[in-house]
Amino acid sequence: MSYGILLVRLALGLTLAAHGAQKLFGVFGGYGPRGTGGFFAGLGFRAPVLMALAAGAAEFGGGLLLATGLLTPLGAFAVAIVMLNAIGTVHWRNGFWNTGGGFEYNFVIWATAVGIAAIGPGRFSLDRLIGWDDNVSGLWWGVAVLALSAAASVVTLTFGRRRETASVTQDEAAPQVA
């Protein structure tokens, strides 16, 4: 079981860290903060570059925390918020399936992050090395990540966006790079 948890943590964590690096640093084909901010402006966010930095930091930092198994619930929480915000702003209106631009992919990432918070980081983690693993895992950590990520996403989508948000598709909101 420890090897399986390690594999899931590494795959999820490093993938999300790479997505965050796209937003923060413009690497791996990403647009950096300004380009991603343009995308977020199209989604109606009030402070789009700041939101791009926050999303990038949550993905990058949360992904690295998950990959290393350090402060595992915090990493799961950061990733979970970004995924719920992505579902709420871009993917929900397209239905479930990813092939139609739906929220399937983001939902699986969110559920995996919540599950890791509940299961814990496993034997091969910095939380275990430090002796924290018994204190930062369990059912209530999973419930907390689930509930708090939902609450944080509602707050972000309610107060962080303009009310007259235009309905845009992911392609329409994509940043234009000269």
Side-chain angles (χ1 to χ4, degrees), residues 17-112:
H19 276 277
Q22 288 179 310
K23 291 172 181 70
L24 291 174
F25 312 119
V27 297
F28 308 123
Y31 296 105
R34 293 178 67 77
T36 304
F39 174 74
F40 281 24
L43 296 174
F45 283 100
R46 295 179 193 272
V49 174
L50 181 61
M51 189 58 69
L53 289 167
E59 287 178 336
F60 186 74
L64 291 178
L65 289 174
L66 284 173
T68 60
L70 177 65
L71 301 172
T72 303
L74 180 62
F77 175 63
V79 165
I81 293 170
V82 175
M83 290 304 107
L84 290 179
N85 285 336
I87 289 169
T89 56
V90 177
H91 302 287
W92 182 261
R93 71 178 143 270
N94 298 322
F96 182 74
W97 300 110
N98 189 51
T99 53
F103 62 90
E104 168 190 16
Y105 173 73
N106 307 92
F107 175 73
V108 169
I109 292 172
W110 174 81
T112 304

Side-chain angles (χ1 to χ4, degrees), residues 1-13 62-76 112-139 141-142 145:
M1 187 161 92
S2 294
Y3 294 102
I5 293 170
L6 175 64
L7 175 63
V8 170
R9 275 194 7 253
L10 287 173
L12 181 68
L64 291 178
L65 289 174
L66 284 173
T68 60
L70 177 65
L71 301 172
T72 303
L74 180 62
T112 304
V114 170
I116 290 171
I119 294 168
R123 179 172 41 160
F124 305 112
S125 67
L126 292 177
D127 285 342
R128 170 69 64 92
L129 183 67
I130 296 168
W132 291 350
D133 58 324
D134 289 335
N135 299 322
V136 293
S137 65
L139 173 63
W141 283 102
V145 168

